[in-house]
Amino acid sequence: MAEKQEVVDYSLANPDVLTKYKVAATISEKVLAEVSKLCVAGEKIVTICQKGDKLIEEEVAKVYRTTKHKGQSHPTTVSPSSFVTPYTPLASDPTESAVELKDGELVKIQLGAQIDGFGSIVCDTIVVGASDKVTGRSADLILATYYANELLLRLMVPPGTLASGTDEEKAKAAAVKAPTQTKITTLLEKVAKAYECSLVESTTSWVFERNEIEGKKKIVVAPGEGGKGDGTPELGEVWGVEMGLSLSDSGKVKNLEQRATLYRRSANTYILKSQNARKTLSTIQNKYGHFPFSLRQLEEEGGDTKFKAGVFDGVRSNVLRQYEVVGDKEGSPVARLLTTLAITKNGVTKLGAPPALDLSKYESDKKIEDEEILKILEQPLSRNKGKSKNKKKKPAKKSGEAQAEEGGDDEE
């Protein structure tokens, strides 16, 4: 009689799963901080990406030494000012590999690590060369993106999760319907308009699963033609929450002339005809699984020089997905943030996130005045167990800008 195969619990109900997510998140945040230091005027983007990828590999190697299935959940990407999508140029392209960062430029850094298929991805926007106060439109954009992101994180908390009071009061709070995706966009637009910015078209947040960063649910902010989200956040889920704002009037996007260099294995199966394509796909599957990777990384492995043809065959057969390089339609600066979070009975826990913004370094003559938005921003992300109740908080309405609380670290 055949033995029953053990069923492994890959949900957050398994403490080991949450631990792996957190370890991956710690690595992601650590490398993000180091890569941010590398983003100085005159530095080549490709060099920064190469160093970031090396750091991810080095940090991952230090943990779970007996686990073979670990590595990056997203390669290091450094996207210039008007770019919306993650960008990682090829070292072999003379033109793109020569692109350098400019002083005062807004750049987006995105990367991530994974342990046993549990990935954390983070993205932050920085101003190159900023050492003191950031003013003008750059400050408007950074602040707008920060507050819009904090608002979206609070809208991810399922109704009633943090309710207190009697059982009747808790039941009443839980019965409230979660905001629709149309409502979410409407609220976020209010924040954007307060700073004279626009939501980036089709900014998408995805539910994360083991070996998958684009699960069955997604939230699409400011959807483009024919685009829409699907599903609402629920307890026990992990999400990659993205926020993108632009200084343009519309936030519309377009494909840029830069070649696509970012790919990932799709869920489709197809027996590729050429031996080279099969070899390339095998390399991708073994090293990156279903997580994104860069053509540059295949180059640097020093493998078969025909890998590009293999990737082309994979895309044509739909076993590989190609990420087009997209930017603001008007060429305006864009800011993006991405947070990996867990939704538990204690609220939202930031597993991996960009560093907390030092609001004192950003000076703007604009502010949020909408009472509904300010009220939401005052809400906590989680139950702050064990934290001082005497900690003073700057009143949001007095300053005209909601001082959003950081999420707690409670686990369950």
Side-chain angles (χ1 to χ4, degrees), residues 76-147:
T76 305
T77 59
V78 178
S79 306
S81 184
S82 65
F83 284 47
V84 172
T85 50
Y87 176 65
T88 174
L90 300 182
S92 61
D93 186 310
T95 301
E96 293 194 21
S97 63
V99 176
E100 299 177 348
L101 295 181
K102 302 177 180 64
D103 191 53
E105 183 177 16
L106 275 81
V107 298
K108 284 74 65 179
I109 306 165
Q110 183 164 318
L111 54 84
Q114 61 90 6
I115 303 295
D116 195 23
F118 301 105
S120 170
I121 302 176
V122 293
C123 178
D124 192 21
T125 298
I126 65 170
V127 180
V128 176
S131 57
D132 195 14
K133 287 276 187 181
V134 176
T135 60
R137 294 298 280 149
S138 290
D140 293 342
L141 181 58
I142 294 291
L143 288 171
T145 306
Y146 167 76
Y147 285 117

Side-chain angles (χ1 to χ4, degrees), residues 52-315:
D53 290 343
K54 184 178 180 182
L55 285 171
I56 293 174
E57 293 297 327
E58 289 175 348
E59 291 301 320
V60 167
K62 297 176 184 177
V63 300
Y64 287 89
R65 297 182 185 274
T66 60
T67 300
K68 294 182 179 180
H69 184 27
K70 60 181 180 177
Q72 68 172 47
S73 58
H74 197 285
T76 305
T77 59
V78 178
S79 306
S81 184
S82 65
F83 284 47
V84 172
T85 50
Y87 176 65
T88 174
L90 300 182
S92 61
D93 186 310
T95 301
E96 293 194 21
S97 63
V99 176
E100 299 177 348
L101 295 181
K102 302 177 180 64
D103 191 53
E105 183 177 16
L106 275 81
V107 298
K108 284 74 65 179
I109 306 165
Q110 183 164 318
L111 54 84
Q114 61 90 6
I115 303 295
D116 195 23
F118 301 105
S120 170
I121 302 176
V122 293
C123 178
D124 192 21
T125 298
I126 65 170
V127 180
V128 176
S131 57
D132 195 14
K133 287 276 187 181
V134 176
T135 60
R137 294 298 280 149
S138 290
D140 293 342
L141 181 58
I142 294 291
L143 288 171
T145 306
Y146 167 76
Y147 285 117
N149 185 61
E150 290 296 325
L151 180 67
L152 180 55
L153 293 179
R154 281 154 179 76
L155 296 176
M156 298 292 293
V157 181
T161 302
L162 304 179
S164 57
T166 65
D167 289 343
E168 183 179 349
E169 289 171 331
K170 291 179 181 179
K172 184 177 180 181
V176 175
K177 289 186 178 181
T180 64
Q181 300 210 14
T182 299
K183 176 64 173 180
I184 290 173
T185 294
T186 299
L187 292 171
L188 293 172
E189 282 178 339
K190 291 182 179 181
V191 178
K193 289 179 180 179
Y195 289 90
E196 297 180 9
C197 297
S198 299
L199 297 174
V200 171
E201 180 182 15
S202 298
T203 296
T204 305
S205 300
W206 293 90
V207 69
F208 282 6
E209 299 167 358
R210 185 172 185 255
N211 296 318
E212 181 57 76
I213 60 169
E214 294 182 6
K216 298 176 182 178
K217 293 182 181 181
K218 61 181 178 179
I219 294 173
V220 182
V221 172
E225 186 176 351
K228 65 176 183 178
D230 183 20
T232 56
E234 296 181 79
L235 295 182
E237 294 177 340
V238 174
W239 282 74
V241 179
E242 180 180 4
M243 179 47 56
L245 269 75
S246 167
L247 285 181
S248 68
D249 293 331
S250 67
K252 296 292 184 181
V253 301
K254 66 176 182 180
N255 286 353
L256 302 179
E257 61 182 16
Q258 281 76 6
R259 74 172 77 184
T261 62
L262 198 63
Y263 296 80
R264 71 183 289 249
R265 179 78 166 84
S266 73
N268 297 324
T269 56
Y270 182 83
I271 299 177
L272 299 175
K273 295 179 180 179
S274 76
Q275 181 179 356
N276 177 67
R278 292 195 297 271
K279 181 179 178 181
T280 300
L281 184 63
S282 177
T283 298
I284 292 167
Q285 184 68 47
N286 291 334
K287 190 167 181 62
Y288 306 109
H290 287 260
F291 292 106
F293 65 92
S294 167
L295 283 184
R296 171 181 50 76
Q297 293 172 305
L298 293 183
E299 277 185 338
E300 291 165 358
E301 285 185 19
D304 195 331
T305 56
K306 297 179 181 179
F307 75 88
K308 288 183 182 178
V311 169
F312 176 78
D313 285 347
V315 172

